[in-house]
Amino acid sequence: VDIEAFYALFWGKFPEERILSHDHIEGLIGNAGYFSGTAMFEGLPKNLISFEKRGHRWLRGDIQQLPFLPGFPFAEKLRLISCMLGGFEKPAAMVLLFAVLSREIHPIVFIVLAFGKGLLPLIAALKNRETEEARLIFSEAVFSFAVLPYTAMMANDAIMRSLYRLFISKKKLLEWTTAKDSEKTLSAVSYYREMWPNLLMAVICLFTVPILAPIFAFAPLLGYFSAKERKEKESNDEAALSGRKL
């Protein structure tokens, strides 16, 4: 990267301490081109909590670009709007779930609207008798449903927090948790502390649809043990790799 050219191109273009997600804006102003035939890899968060905190920062970063939207090309406007609308997916699914609990809509309608994008791959996998692929898609859908209260809360927090800071307080627009801090090993109690909306939803379900209460109540444990299993697998893989090197 030519640092001098970068400064010459971007200096004074934007107000200070406003840009949280900088990648697309830098590519747009810098006239970045499409580079085909290249695969890019990014580290995946090691647990559900750190994954959602990263998504929280990404959604805030997209929303904080709203004031610059009029100056974007049409295609870039569509991209940014698409990213922001994706952040409303989990809160919208939560609204549909409350509609199911209040008997306003049928559960099948909730499944189609909230998880419809996974139905076609599941049907295709079953049709092609790809049982392992079908099992994986189904288990991901079940896990997404189980942690929905928590993920919806995180998205709601990102939306409301960014709008308040952007248009009212105009402070802490660059606040975020580093990957190192969010990747800290968490205890089962920490999962329940972070995922308190799941416990609240479990209590609500006790008085509406009791069969759903255990799903939401035990979801934090599911997140804890899945992270623990992944950590053990990574440790075993590293040990096996070291053994082969020796």
Side-chain angles (χ1 to χ4, degrees):
V1 176
D2 188 329
I3 303 298
E4 292 184 358
F6 182 90
Y7 271 101
L9 193 59
F10 287 90
W11 188 259
K13 291 285 186 180
F14 302 101
E16 293 185 4
E17 299 186 1
R18 288 287 297 274
I19 307 298
L20 183 58
S21 294
H22 55 88
D23 305 53
H24 287 95
I25 280 188
E26 288 175 353
L28 177 64
I29 302 299
N31 295 317
Y34 174 66
F35 191 57
S36 62
T38 301
M40 304 292 291
F41 295 91
E42 182 172 4
L44 187 68
K46 296 181 179 180
N47 58 65
L48 173 65
I49 305 300
S50 60
F51 182 85
E52 288 301 318
K53 286 183 177 180
R54 184 182 71 169
H56 185 279
R57 175 173 60 85
W58 284 358
L59 181 54
R60 284 175 49 218
D62 288 336
I63 294 175
Q64 286 178 199
Q65 292 182 24
L66 273 174
F68 311 115
L69 193 62
F72 288 176
F74 181 72
E76 192 66 15
K77 289 179 182 178
L78 291 181
R79 182 209 63 79
L80 181 59
I81 292 173
S82 175
C83 289
M84 286 189 291
L85 290 179
F88 286 83
E89 178 182 345
K90 296 299 175 61
M94 200 65 199
V95 172
L96 290 174
L97 179 57
F98 277 115
V100 172
L101 298 181
S102 59
R103 308 295 198 278
E104 295 293 331
I105 63 173
H106 195 276
I108 297 297
V109 177
F110 166 77
I111 293 173
V112 171
L113 293 178
F115 299 98
K117 66 181 181 181
L119 288 178
L120 290 180
L122 178 60
I123 294 172
L126 292 173
K127 184 178 180 181
N128 297 328
R129 297 182 180 180
E130 298 173 349
T131 54
E132 183 61 25
E133 181 69 16
R135 184 195 66 79
L136 180 61
I137 295 173
F138 180 75
S139 61
E140 287 178 351
V142 172
F143 184 78
S144 295
F145 174 73
V147 300
L148 180 60
Y150 168 65
T151 56
M153 181 275 294
M154 289 293 286
N156 272 328
D157 182 85
I159 294 167
M160 300 307 295
R161 189 184 298 263
S162 55
L163 289 176
Y164 173 77
R165 290 176 175 177
L166 186 60
F167 296 110
I168 299 178
S169 73
K170 303 186 186 300
K171 297 178 180 178
K172 298 184 179 180
L173 290 168
L174 299 185
E175 181 186 51
W176 62 293
T177 303
T178 64
K180 182 179 179 180
D181 290 335
S182 63
E183 291 290 355
K184 291 180 179 179
T185 301
L186 300 174
S187 65
V189 174
S190 299
Y191 270 83
Y192 273 100
R193 187 184 302 115
E194 292 280 347
M195 299 177 66
W196 61 266
N198 265 69
L199 296 180
L200 179 60
M201 194 65 190
V203 172
I204 294 174
C205 288
L206 284 175
F207 299 97
T208 52
V209 185
I211 194 173
L212 294 179
I215 296 176
F216 295 123
F218 290 108
L221 275 181
L222 183 61
Y224 168 73
F225 283 114
S226 64
K228 186 177 180 181
E229 180 182 1
R230 176 181 175 179
K231 184 177 181 180
E232 291 175 351
K233 183 179 182 302
E234 289 178 348
S235 298
N236 293 335
D237 290 344
E238 290 177 0
L241 181 60
S242 298
R244 285 197 297 270
K245 289 181 178 179
L246 292 175

